[in-house]
Amino acid sequence: MDAGCTTSYPALLDYKTEKYVLTKNRKVGALHRILHLGSFCYIIGWVLIANKGYQESDKDPHSSIITKLKGVSVTNFSKSKEKIWDVADYVIPSQGENVLFLVTNFVATTGQVQSTCPENPVMLDARCIENLDCVAGDPVINGNGIKTGKCVLYNSTHTTCEIYGWCPVETESLPRKPSLNEAENFTLFVKNAVYFSKFNLSRANTLDTSDDTYFKNCKYNPVSSPYCPVFQIQDIIAKADQSFEELSLRGGVVTAHIEWKCDLDQPANECLPRYSFRLLDTKNNFRTATYYWNKQKLEHRDLLKLYGIRFHVSVTGEARKFGIIPTAVSLGTGCAFLGAATFLCDLILLYLDEKASFYRRCKYEEVGG
Amino acid sequence: MDAGCTTSYPALLDYKTEKYVLTKNRKVGALHRILHLGSFCYIIGWVLIANKGYQESDKDPHSSIITKLKGVSVTNFSKSKEKIWDVADYVIPSQGENVLFLVTNFVATTGQVQSTCPENPVMLDARCIENLDCVAGDPVINGNGIKTGKCVLYNSTHTTCEIYGWCPVETESLPRKPSLNEAENFTLFVKNAVYFSKFNLSRANTLDTSDDTYFKNCKYNPVSSPYCPVFQIQDIIAKADQSFEELSLRGGVVTAHIEWKCDLDQPANECLPRYSFRLLDTKNNFRTATYYWNKQKLEHRDLLKLYGIRFHVSVTGEARKFGIIPTAVSLGTGCAFLGAATFLCDLILLYLDEKASFYRRCKYEEVGG
Amino acid sequence: MDAGCTTSYPALLDYKTEKYVLTKNRKVGALHRILHLGSFCYIIGWVLIANKGYQESDKDPHSSIITKLKGVSVTNFSKSKEKIWDVADYVIPSQGENVLFLVTNFVATTGQVQSTCPENPVMLDARCIENLDCVAGDPVINGNGIKTGKCVLYNSTHTTCEIYGWCPVETESLPRKPSLNEAENFTLFVKNAVYFSKFNLSRANTLDTSDDTYFKNCKYNPVSSPYCPVFQIQDIIAKADQSFEELSLRGGVVTAHIEWKCDLDQPANECLPRYSFRLLDTKNNFRTATYYWNKQKLEHRDLLKLYGIRFHVSVTGEARKFGIIPTAVSLGTGCAFLGAATFLCDLILLYLDEKASFYRRCKYEEVGG
């Protein structure tokens, strides 16, 4: 019968606690305490307080965005005729969704009809010296039409393939200064409603008012008017560290990011959106055309190459609330460290300490078999 | 040589198990058992069964949505002329993507030309008593044009600044009753295909049939026709707890949410989408214009302020399947609790129990050095 | 006074290490070592190396997409008149956002006016034998107009209800071969810029060049020109394992997926996007109309049922970087397994081994109370 073996079997409700060997090793002892302290600080400070590990969260709210641009601008349209641009003219698409394009500059090619004309020499594929360079029926790569097989004069300096297509072709001469530069004074209204299904929480970024003129006259200010999401274009561009003058010339893409952080363990009125604006891309343009028929029932179109700023409104949100499960998990993972600490100290004591061999023998108690 | 120290060094394959001190302390013993039981229940019941912790999941499927609205409606357009509205007229944009706008009401301002006229007094900035109040060249804030500098009669009651812009300006007189109220009988077809790349799983919410007329005549029913995603507008509005009558007057935003929950450890036919509808926002309108030229080659436009319901179809999905790694992780984190339980009980035994000091001494075995 | 109880209280900095019972049980010993080895392999191999558990990651970048289609196509429009289609004609919407629709086929119904005509017999609801079958004022379900109450001849074989609506109604006769089959040679330019806010990292998939013609003439190749995101339509369709010939006839939905995987612990130039293409849906079409007024100021419209391929560009990204916290968590959870291993071995030794009862007694040391 070995030393320290119980004579009877342990009963179900006897509490068994590990037997410890008490060493007077101050160094490892101190290390052990420090590691334990560290683990506790990590659990309390980081997991629970910094990361709010005791809360469960809903990170994808249903979100609805309604945008509205306001303002008017005067331009000298083709044939140097003055033209007023209002919302219906310069916002594309007009539905006011989360992506909207504000026209700031354009190249107009009016009165195009389907016929034959020389291709633009910008298309390398269309440059030619003689007719043989232009294979009839071939489309011009990235070009405006189908080659007719003739090589004709484009202007005093260039000869290019004649094409069948919408003629005359667009001549890429971008105005030096943006045509709609009043646009910087336009205002953008961004109405956003979010719904966190997990907590059945609905929030909106607009003041719930019956006064219809409120949003016509207010302007966003995080302190004085946090519930008036009306931004002036030039402010937005400025916040994105850009100059409207440059950006409006060749266009760009600006993201307006709305971030909701709602801690339901806090008073609800602290759950306010934060707005941030970033330039995502420079140069942004596309072509669109309006079609009409003249008296001879011949189809014409006005081709517009529109340069402008695309606003991309994105919404992210996170709602947090105390939950027992996440708390348990956070503590659980934290506990693992306490074990790790002991594990580490044992290694040191049993294999690195100068008296390691002695401790190693004393840590273990031999039993037969 | 201290008591209970091994004479030889432990060999590699000797198994070493903690030495326990057996106390007859029933209270702590019971607590210990209870905590262990709790941990087990948590691991098995919550982690494994409730949260399916043994499965790995793919939470963002590639998704394709095709929507189609069907129906016709009669309205009395400007000049009190009867007009038929069909899909091509009242759905904007027409492409049938995940966001579509159903026109239910509108304010039409027909035959606008670019000239001068008095601004709408709704714009506070445009109200005036004398010409000095109207600085020539200034745009009206949120208004419809550029001030000419004159202060003119708007109607018997108001005088406003004259502007250069699209005239006559829009007069905001919203019809009391929605113009397209047949819209409630329109049907919305929502075709959705999802693909879970992680499990290479493709699913669609439509019946795979060759019969072209099937979707023309079926209607969604979770039991009888789960694969016919055709919804009547009024049903959708009703499911969102709204009245079509009210909503259609000033417009709104309704989200149609499609949720896929596919457990690949179950038979595939249980992997069906669930549909839910919510009102995200009230009041929704935008302006759009159609342009044309009259005989005198003068550009006119019909300005429409369209009120309507925007449907926002969103898709979320989750596919789950047994995986060895997630199982391991779930068990691993769970195990941490067993350790925590012991840790807690020791604290009680060694520091709170009335015989704590005795236990504390006996838990530890002194060795020299 | 029991055996092995300390005479003095343990001091704060004394290091206490578990007392182990040394058994000569080779089987369990080996198992224990194996399990420990397994845990280590799991932590090192899987958690740290395979899953990069030592890094923190930002999984939702802000993303901007600009798309541009290039190419021209000839069709025989209604009245068998040759017609050139260029970008402004066949791309809908024209803004060049992440979703674009390429027209590949169409059914044109030109010169519709609002009047009365027989409904298309495809609508079951519109078929009739006598006037009584057509209730005046009822809309045809999924149909094109409101019944007038008359039952009239549609053609030699059918009689259908007369309707008031846009007449003549569309006759669904889809061309056997796609009208715009040159479309396969069109090129799609996908410009994508991403921004990882967590690491303040911006990346673009385009070469940062001042040469404007570069993107006009290059073509994507993962090796030779990774920064030229210009794809030929037929290549895209091929990569999605489809035949353009079939797909273009009835349309479809193709997703172009851009995936960014950026490991900031690696040199930045390894952070390149990967492109993948998949067919999400077959059959895709919608109706759109262009309106115009004839000499008699009567409103006409050309109704187009457009078939085509919708390209859906989606972007996902993940940026990873070493972080101390994730490392700690990964190790922590891993440690739990070591505990689990010991726990398991004890169970075997104390309850399954043939000498279990002996070990059980010797594991525990009895103390009074």
Side-chain angles (χ1 to χ4, degrees), chain A residues 4 12 14-20 22 65 68 84 86 89 95-96 191 216 355 361-362 364-365, chain B residues 5-6 19 21 23 26 33 93 99 114 142 166 282 285 291 301 310 336 346 363-365 367 369:
Chain A
L12 176 70
D14 290 349
Y15 178 63
K16 308 159 201 67
T17 179
E18 286 103 348
K19 175 94 180 180
Y20 277 85
L22 186 68
I65 298 167
K68 256 199 168 65
I84 280 282
D86 69 8
D89 304 321
Q95 294 97 274
K191 187 178 181 187
K216 281 200 164 69
K355 296 176 63 192
R361 289 215 323 288
C362 286
Y364 304 115
E365 168 179 311
Chain B
C5 288
T6 53
K19 175 95 180 177
V21 174
T23 75
R26 291 274 184 281
R33 295 291 182 193
V99 176
Q114 298 220 337
N142 301 332
W166 287 101
T282 54
N285 62 71
Y291 303 82
R301 79 173 189 185
R310 185 199 303 167
D346 273 9
K363 180 179 174 66
Y364 304 115
E365 170 180 310
V367 299

Side-chain angles (χ1 to χ4, degrees), chain B residues 31-267:
Chain B
L31 175 65
H32 193 233
R33 295 291 182 193
I34 291 167
L35 288 176
H36 268 195
L37 199 67
S39 306
F40 275 116
C41 295
Y42 166 76
I43 300 172
I44 304 301
W46 180 261
V47 177
L48 293 188
I49 296 174
N51 282 4
K52 300 241 172 87
Y54 57 88
Q55 292 180 315
E56 55 190 339
S57 75
D58 178 351
K59 283 188 176 179
D60 79 57
H62 291 204
S63 167
S64 133
I65 298 168
I66 295 178
T67 54
K68 255 198 169 64
L69 265 168
K70 294 266 188 186
V72 286
S73 184
V74 189
T75 65
N76 295 333
F77 200 53
S78 57
K79 317 180 189 74
S80 70
K81 184 184 151 310
E82 239 194 15
K83 183 174 191 297
I84 280 282
W85 292 62
D86 69 8
V87 188
D89 305 320
Y90 61 65
V91 180
I92 300 165
S94 47
Q95 293 97 276
E97 285 160 15
N98 66 321
V99 176
L100 75 163
F101 183 94
L102 166 63
V103 178
T104 56
N105 205 357
F106 61 86
V107 174
T109 314
T110 54
Q112 284 186 322
V113 291
Q114 298 220 337
S115 63
T116 60
C117 53
E119 173 62 286
N120 189 325
V122 176
M123 315 295 168
L124 305 179
D125 181 45
R127 297 183 178 173
C128 61
I129 291 94
E130 51 177 355
N131 291 351
L132 294 179
D133 303 338
C134 306
V135 182
D138 276 10
V140 178
I141 295 163
N142 301 332
N144 300 310
I146 309 286
K147 295 175 185 172
T148 59
K150 293 214 205 80
C151 183
V152 296
L153 271 181
Y154 174 77
N155 58 17
S156 52
T157 60
H158 291 85
T159 58
T160 61
C161 293
E162 187 188 59
I163 57 163
Y164 176 74
W166 287 101
C167 290
V169 298
E170 181 181 82
T171 54
E172 310 229 2
S173 63
L174 184 62
R176 280 282 143 276
K177 63 179 294 308
S179 318
L180 279 78
N181 48 9
E182 289 94 340
E184 65 183 336
N185 297 322
F186 294 173
T187 58
L188 175 63
F189 173 62
V190 182
K191 187 178 180 187
N192 176 221
V194 288
Y195 172 69
F196 295 93
S197 50
K198 197 173 192 176
F199 304 120
N200 187 25
L201 170 74
S202 291
R203 300 284 295 165
N205 71 338
T206 50
L207 188 67
D208 191 359
T209 173
S210 57
D211 171 10
D212 286 1
T213 63
Y214 175 72
F215 293 114
K216 280 199 166 68
N217 304 301
C218 71
K219 202 175 151 192
Y220 178 74
N221 180 309
V223 181
S224 60
S225 55
Y227 287 108
C228 167
V230 175
F231 304 88
Q232 209 162 1
I233 298 302
Q234 61 192 0
D235 297 349
I236 292 176
I237 306 300
K239 284 210 189 77
D241 307 324
Q242 303 298 319
S243 120
F244 182 84
E245 200 56 43
E246 290 170 27
L247 204 58
S248 54
L249 192 61
R250 302 182 140 281
V253 180
V254 173
T255 180
H257 187 66
I258 306 181
E259 192 180 17
W260 293 87
K261 277 204 173 303
C262 296
D263 185 338
L264 302 191
D265 301 334
Q266 308 284 335

Side-chain angles (χ1 to χ4, degrees), chain A residues 17 39 52 110 115 135 142 156 219 223 229 231 236 240 309 349:
Chain A
T17 179
S39 307
K52 300 238 172 90
T110 53
S115 62
V135 181
N142 300 332
S156 52
K219 201 175 153 192
V223 181
F231 304 88
I236 291 177
I309 302 167
L349 183 78

Side-chain angles (χ1 to χ4, degrees), chain C residues 47-265:
Chain C
V47 177
L48 293 188
I49 295 174
N51 282 4
K52 301 241 172 86
Y54 57 88
Q55 292 180 315
E56 57 190 338
S57 75
D58 177 350
K59 284 187 175 179
D60 80 54
H62 291 202
S63 167
S64 133
I65 297 167
I66 295 178
T67 54
K68 255 198 169 64
L69 265 167
K70 294 265 189 188
V72 286
S73 184
V74 189
T75 66
N76 295 333
F77 200 53
S78 56
K79 317 180 190 78
S80 68
K81 183 184 151 309
E82 239 193 14
K83 184 177 189 298
I84 281 281
W85 292 62
D86 69 7
V87 188
D89 303 322
Y90 60 66
V91 179
I92 299 166
S94 47
Q95 293 97 275
E97 284 160 15
N98 65 321
V99 176
L100 73 163
F101 183 93
L102 166 63
V103 178
T104 55
N105 204 356
F106 61 86
V107 174
T109 314
T110 53
Q112 285 186 323
V113 291
Q114 297 221 337
S115 62
T116 62
C117 53
E119 172 63 285
N120 189 325
V122 176
M123 314 296 168
L124 304 179
D125 181 44
R127 297 181 179 174
C128 61
I129 291 92
E130 52 176 356
N131 291 351
L132 294 179
D133 303 337
C134 305
V135 182
D138 275 10
V140 179
I141 295 163
N142 300 332
N144 299 311
I146 309 286
K147 295 174 185 172
T148 59
K150 293 213 204 78
C151 184
V152 296
L153 271 180
Y154 175 75
N155 58 17
S156 53
T157 58
H158 292 83
T159 58
T160 60
C161 293
E162 186 188 59
I163 57 164
Y164 175 73
W166 287 101
C167 290
V169 297
E170 181 181 81
T171 55
E172 310 229 0
S173 62
L174 184 61
R176 280 283 142 272
K177 64 178 294 306
S179 319
L180 279 77
N181 48 8
E182 288 95 338
E184 65 182 335
N185 296 323
F186 294 173
T187 58
L188 175 62
F189 172 62
V190 182
K191 187 178 182 187
N192 175 221
V194 289
Y195 172 69
F196 294 93
S197 49
K198 196 173 192 177
F199 304 120
N200 187 24
L201 170 75
S202 290
R203 300 284 294 166
N205 71 337
T206 50
L207 188 67
D208 190 0
T209 173
S210 57
D211 171 10
D212 286 2
T213 63
Y214 175 72
F215 294 114
K216 281 200 165 71
N217 304 301
C218 71
K219 203 176 151 190
Y220 178 74
N221 179 310
V223 181
S224 61
S225 55
Y227 287 107
C228 167
V230 174
F231 304 89
Q232 210 163 2
I233 299 300
Q234 61 193 0
D235 297 349
I236 292 177
I237 306 299
K239 285 211 189 79
D241 308 322
Q242 303 298 318
S243 119
F244 181 84
E245 200 56 43
E246 290 169 26
L247 204 59
S248 55
L249 192 62
R250 303 182 140 281
V253 181
V254 173
T255 180
H257 187 66
I258 307 181
E259 191 180 18
W260 293 86
K261 276 204 174 302
C262 297
D263 185 337
L264 302 191
D265 301 334

Side-chain angles (χ1 to χ4, degrees), chain A residues 3-6 8-25 33 36 40 60 62-68 70-74 77 81-90 94-98 182 185 187 191-195 200 202 206 209-210 212-213 215-217 230 290-292 294-295 302 325 327-336 338 351 355 357-367, chain B residues 1-10 16 18-30 32-33 42 46 51 92-93 99-101 112 114 122-125 139-146 164-166 172 250 253 255 257 276 278 280-289 291 293-295 297-299 301 303 305 310 312 314 316 333 336-337 339-343 345-346 349-351 361-369:
Chain A
C5 289
T6 53
S8 63
Y9 291 130
L12 176 70
L13 288 188
D14 290 349
Y15 178 63
K16 308 159 201 67
T17 179
E18 286 103 348
K19 175 94 180 180
Y20 277 85
V21 173
L22 186 68
T23 77
K24 298 252 168 268
N25 190 319
R33 295 291 181 192
H36 268 194
F40 274 115
D60 80 57
H62 291 203
S63 167
S64 135
I65 298 167
I66 295 178
T67 54
K68 256 199 168 65
K70 293 267 187 186
V72 287
S73 185
V74 188
F77 201 54
K81 183 184 151 310
E82 244 196 7
K83 185 176 191 296
I84 280 282
W85 292 63
D86 69 8
V87 188
D89 304 321
Y90 60 65
S94 47
Q95 294 97 274
E97 284 160 15
N98 65 320
E182 289 93 339
N185 296 321
T187 58
K191 187 178 181 187
N192 175 221
V194 289
Y195 172 70
N200 187 25
S202 290
T206 50
T209 173
S210 56
D212 287 2
T213 63
F215 294 114
K216 281 200 164 69
N217 304 302
V230 175
T290 53
Y291 302 83
Y292 56 92
N294 70 350
K295 296 200 185 51
D302 289 347
I325 294 300
T327 312
V329 172
S330 301
L331 291 179
T333 49
C335 289
L338 299 182
Y351 299 100
K355 296 176 63 192
S357 64
F358 165 74
Y359 289 128
R360 195 143 76 257
R361 289 215 323 288
C362 286
K363 178 180 174 65
Y364 304 115
E365 168 179 311
E366 200 155 359
V367 298
Chain B
M1 173 68 210
D2 300 80
C5 288
T6 53
T7 52
S8 63
Y9 292 127
K16 308 159 201 67
E18 285 103 349
K19 175 95 180 177
Y20 276 87
V21 174
L22 185 68
T23 75
K24 298 252 168 266
N25 189 318
R26 291 274 184 281
K27 291 198 297 318
V28 182
H32 193 233
R33 295 291 182 193
Y42 166 76
W46 180 261
N51 282 4
I92 300 165
V99 176
L100 75 163
F101 183 94
Q112 284 186 322
Q114 298 220 337
V122 176
M123 315 295 168
L124 305 179
D125 181 45
V140 178
I141 295 163
N142 301 332
N144 300 310
I146 309 286
Y164 176 74
W166 287 101
E172 310 229 2
R250 302 182 140 281
V253 180
T255 180
H257 187 66
S276 59
R278 282 195 81 257
L280 275 182
D281 209 339
T282 54
K283 289 188 186 174
N284 185 13
N285 62 71
F286 65 90
R287 291 181 179 77
T288 183
Y291 303 82
W293 283 259
N294 70 350
K295 296 202 186 51
K297 292 291 299 161
L298 181 61
E299 187 177 20
R301 79 173 189 185
L303 179 65
K305 185 178 185 181
R310 185 199 303 167
H312 190 103
S314 63
T316 61
T333 48
F337 289 112
T342 307
F343 184 77
C345 291
D346 273 9
L349 183 78
L350 300 180
Y351 299 100
R361 287 214 326 286
C362 286
K363 180 179 174 66
Y364 304 115
E365 170 180 310
E366 202 156 358
V367 299

Side-chain angles (χ1 to χ4, degrees), chain A residues 94-139:
Chain A
S94 47
Q95 294 97 274
E97 284 160 15
N98 65 320
V99 176
L100 73 164
F101 183 93
L102 166 62
V103 178
T104 56
N105 205 356
F106 61 85
V107 174
T109 314
T110 53
Q112 285 186 322
V113 292
Q114 298 219 337
S115 62
T116 62
C117 53
E119 173 62 285
N120 189 326
V122 176
M123 315 295 169
L124 305 179
D125 181 44
R127 297 182 179 174
C128 60
I129 291 91
E130 52 176 358
N131 291 350
L132 294 177
D133 303 339
C134 305
V135 181
D138 276 10

Side-chain angles (χ1 to χ4, degrees), chain A residues 153-356:
Chain A
L153 271 181
Y154 174 76
N155 58 18
S156 52
T157 58
H158 291 84
T159 57
T160 60
C161 293
E162 186 189 59
I163 57 163
Y164 176 73
W166 287 101
C167 290
V169 297
E170 182 181 80
T171 55
E172 311 229 0
S173 62
L174 184 60
R176 281 282 140 274
K177 66 180 293 305
S179 319
L180 279 77
N181 48 7
E182 289 93 339
E184 65 182 337
N185 296 321
F186 294 173
T187 58
L188 175 62
F189 172 62
V190 181
K191 187 178 181 187
N192 175 221
V194 289
Y195 172 70
F196 294 93
S197 49
K198 196 174 193 177
F199 304 121
N200 187 25
L201 170 75
S202 290
R203 301 282 296 166
N205 70 337
T206 50
L207 187 67
D208 191 359
T209 173
S210 56
D211 170 10
D212 287 2
T213 63
Y214 175 72
F215 294 114
K216 281 200 164 69
N217 304 302
C218 72
K219 201 175 153 192
Y220 178 74
N221 179 310
V223 181
S224 60
S225 55
Y227 287 108
C228 167
V230 175
F231 304 88
Q232 209 163 0
I233 299 300
Q234 61 193 2
D235 296 349
I236 291 177
I237 306 299
K239 285 211 188 78
D241 307 324
Q242 303 298 320
S243 119
F244 181 83
E245 201 55 42
E246 291 169 25
L247 204 58
S248 54
L249 193 62
R250 304 183 139 280
V253 181
V254 172
T255 180
H257 187 66
I258 306 181
E259 191 179 19
W260 292 87
K261 278 204 173 302
C262 297
D263 185 337
L264 301 190
D265 302 334
Q266 307 284 336
N269 58 7
E270 289 190 10
C271 162
L272 263 177
R274 278 201 276 98
Y275 302 89
S276 59
F277 303 93
R278 281 196 81 257
L279 180 81
L280 276 182
D281 209 339
T282 55
K283 288 187 188 175
N284 184 15
N285 63 70
F286 66 90
R287 291 179 179 78
T288 183
T290 53
Y291 302 83
Y292 56 92
W293 283 260
N294 70 350
K295 296 200 185 51
Q296 294 74 39
K297 293 291 298 162
L298 181 61
E299 187 178 21
H300 287 57
R301 78 173 191 186
D302 289 347
L303 180 65
L304 282 175
K305 184 177 185 180
L306 297 172
Y307 295 77
I309 302 167
R310 187 200 300 167
F311 293 95
H312 191 102
V313 184
S314 62
V315 177
T316 59
E318 182 176 12
R320 308 185 64 88
K321 195 176 194 175
F322 172 79
I324 187 65
I325 294 300
T327 312
V329 172
S330 301
L331 291 179
T333 49
C335 289
F337 288 112
L338 299 182
T342 307
F343 183 77
L344 184 66
C345 291
D346 273 10
L347 284 184
I348 294 171
L349 183 78
L350 301 181
Y351 299 100
L352 303 181
D353 192 85
E354 66 276 356
K355 296 176 63 192

